[in-house]
Amino acid sequence: MPPLLDPAALTVDAGQLQAQVDALAEFSSTPAPGVTRVLFTDADMAGRRYVKSLMRAAGLDVLEDAVGNIFGRWHGTAGLHGRVGTGSHCDAIPDAGKYDGVVGVLGGIAAARALQAVGFSPRRTIDIVMFTSEEPTRFGIGCCGSRLLGGALDADALARLTDADGVSFDAARRAAGYSADYASATLKPGDYAAFVELHVEQGPVLEREGLDIGVVSAIAAPASFSVTFRGEGGHAGTVLMGERRDALVPAAALTCYAEELACGSDSPDSVATVGMLQVHPGAVNSIPRTATFTLDVRDTSLAARGGIVEALKRRAQELAKERRLECAFDVINEDPPADADADIMAAVEESAAAQRLRSRRIVSRAYHDALFMARVAPMGMIFVPSKDGVSHRPDEYTSPQEMANGAQVLAATLARLAA
Ligand code: HGY
Ligand code: MN
Ligand code: MN
């Protein structure tokens, strides 16, 4: 910690931070209390403008890359290579809450202001980043912006992704005003000396244990797949049961099997979810011809996740054979987990202690942009409590003081890393 800076002296205005979270929540394509802010929609573009205005008001240089990652840059005084990064996302899945991701972007700007207020000036440049498309809502894969930055997604593959209306990522980004060469959005190792993300826990642990700060030790490994069963459909009244090749029934069977595998796993971190299902033709009196659904399987252990995925693939083929159907089991993403950097964890713990905040180490079962920034820089995450552990729902809540605590710990951590 630089000699002049007392972490306990760092204060963030909790009321102002809450007011900014509330103002950002106004930019939504669905009515309150839920928030919907899907990539490059009008709501997302309005939210981006608002975040950039806060960055400018904090005296940060605003830069945007080829895919709409937004950087609020606080230039360092020593011209050192290797910036210190923090940030998160502001896009929101349909009818979500207003804190997921937002606390890490607005809290990052607030942390910079808290450091400016005590006269701190960073020797290393500090970036507060708003990453593009952390949520998979529009193009089916999450963390598009941080995957590109971290070298975990091929630019051509990203450009070709299409949304439900057949609009490609490349067309969507150009319509949003981003047309630079994709290559400019890939970092070289060393570009960042450290990356720390502030985020709401999205789980019940901190609240249940009466703690203020979560020091993330690892981020679980997410995997997602698109599965399609294809049969022959037909009239719901005239095709007798023995003659059917119904596409939806095996989809339902595999959904229940996914739950059974995750519940029966030896690993406590195994989770499996079917979140989306489309049936064609989708009529009361028509036997489903195709059923397409998404599988989201995660674990902190790659072996445990792999075991569940392999069992699901086997069962899908068995069901297709038994029922004379076709089955496509396509990978959307299969990512490794990431461990936090020991020095950054120690810096977060010491920053929390200096501010008399109670902390513990914790695993992140949700994925974050930090998962991909970990590929190009030492990574850390700071969690603040989520009421009742709720997230991805309109009743998601973190109190103003809990957000301010997180931003203050982030400010002290950034000061150490950028000194
Ligand atoms: O799905 C996740 O873990 C993140 O909230 N996008
Ligand atoms: Mn989320
Ligand atoms: Mn998030």
Side-chain angles (χ1 to χ4, degrees):
M1 182 64 70
L4 296 181
L5 195 147
D6 169 11
L10 292 167
T11 51
V12 165
D13 180 335
Q16 185 185 59
L17 186 49
Q18 182 63 56
Q20 291 170 353
V21 168
D22 294 342
L24 183 52
E26 296 297 312
F27 304 119
S28 167
S29 51
T30 52
V35 175
T36 303
R37 218 169 17 245
V38 177
L39 179 68
F40 298 148
T41 57
D42 292 347
D44 183 35
M45 299 311 288
R48 286 166 176 266
R49 285 191 291 275
Y50 178 64
V51 165
K52 287 186 277 188
S53 73
L54 294 179
M55 288 178 169
R56 290 191 188 98
L60 304 174
D61 230 355
V62 176
L63 308 154
E64 298 180 82
D65 72 9
V67 294
N69 290 313
I70 300 173
F71 302 81
R73 183 154 294 169
W74 186 1
H75 294 280
T77 56
L80 296 173
H81 180 58
R83 303 188 291 274
V84 172
T86 187
S88 191
H89 64 97
C90 287
D91 58 326
I93 69 169
D95 202 24
K98 58 183 170 179
Y99 298 90
D100 175 4
V102 166
V103 169
V105 178
L106 302 188
I109 297 168
R113 298 184 79 108
L115 288 167
Q116 290 164 359
V118 297
F120 175 80
S121 51
R123 295 183 67 246
R124 282 188 185 282
T125 292
I126 294 175
D127 276 355
I128 292 99
V129 188
M130 193 217 84
F131 293 95
T132 265
S133 194
E134 191 272 354
E135 298 293 4
T137 312
R138 182 166 180 185
F139 288 100
I141 184 168
C143 297
C144 293
S146 50
R147 283 178 189 274
L148 208 58
L149 287 171
L153 180 60
D154 169 71
D156 290 340
L158 174 60
R160 286 196 305 272
L161 288 177
T162 54
D163 65 10
D165 299 324
V167 177
S168 72
F169 179 92
D170 194 59
R173 70 146 189 157
R174 290 177 185 281
Y178 301 108
S179 56
D181 187 280
Y182 284 96
S184 65
T186 301
L187 295 171
K188 292 180 294 306
D191 280 351
Y192 280 102
F195 180 81
V196 189
E197 180 169 0
L198 169 63
H199 204 285
V200 293
E201 179 197 339
Q202 300 178 298
V205 173
L206 295 179
E207 181 187 58
R208 190 171 55 206
E209 297 183 12
L211 300 172
D212 306 299
I213 297 292
V215 183
V216 172
S217 54
I219 302 173
S224 63
F225 309 85
S226 172
V227 185
T228 296
F229 285 104
R230 202 176 304 284
E232 71 183 358
H235 193 293
T238 58
V239 181
L240 298 181
M241 298 312 284
E243 293 151 24
R244 292 184 175 205
R245 293 168 59 208
D246 184 325
L248 178 53
V249 174
L254 204 66
T255 300
C256 296
Y257 186 50
E259 182 189 56
E260 185 190 318
L261 287 168
C263 292
S265 168
D266 295 336
S267 163
D269 295 331
S270 295
V271 286
T273 312
V274 172
M276 296 173 79
L277 168 71
Q278 283 104 15
V279 177
H280 180 79
V284 168
N285 55 355
S286 175
I287 301 167
R289 210 172 302 161
T290 63
T292 298
F293 57 102
T294 57
L295 263 174
D296 178 311
V297 185
R298 309 186 195 194
D299 202 298
T300 49
S301 146
L302 266 184
R305 188 187 79 185
I308 290 173
V309 170
E310 287 315 305
L312 285 167
K313 284 180 178 172
R314 270 195 308 277
R315 188 72 191 114
Q317 297 311 326
E318 288 165 5
L319 284 163
K321 194 164 174 218
E322 287 161 18
R323 293 168 170 269
R324 297 176 296 115
L325 297 170
E326 290 167 26
C327 177
F329 198 111
D330 301 320
V331 176
I332 298 172
N333 67 289
E334 279 184 305
D335 301 298
D339 289 329
D341 175 80
D343 293 341
I344 295 178
M345 284 194 282
V348 173
E349 280 165 339
E350 286 161 31
S351 299
Q355 294 181 13
R356 306 216 186 302
L357 295 171
R358 299 152 299 175
S359 72
R360 59 159 274 182
R361 298 215 171 167
I362 188 171
V363 162
S364 174
R365 296 192 171 111
Y367 63 73
H368 303 282
D369 293 303
L371 177 64
F372 300 100
M373 292 302 284
R375 299 201 184 189
V376 288
M379 173 277 288
M381 285 195 77
I382 301 167
F383 274 176
V384 288
S386 292
K387 187 171 179 322
D388 302 328
V390 164
S391 184
H392 282 191
R393 277 180 15 195
D395 53 336
E396 177 184 76
Y397 179 75
T398 295
S399 77
Q401 190 52 52
E402 288 168 336
M403 289 195 285
N405 289 344
Q408 286 167 190
V409 169
L410 175 62
T413 305
L414 292 175
R416 288 173 66 104
L417 296 170

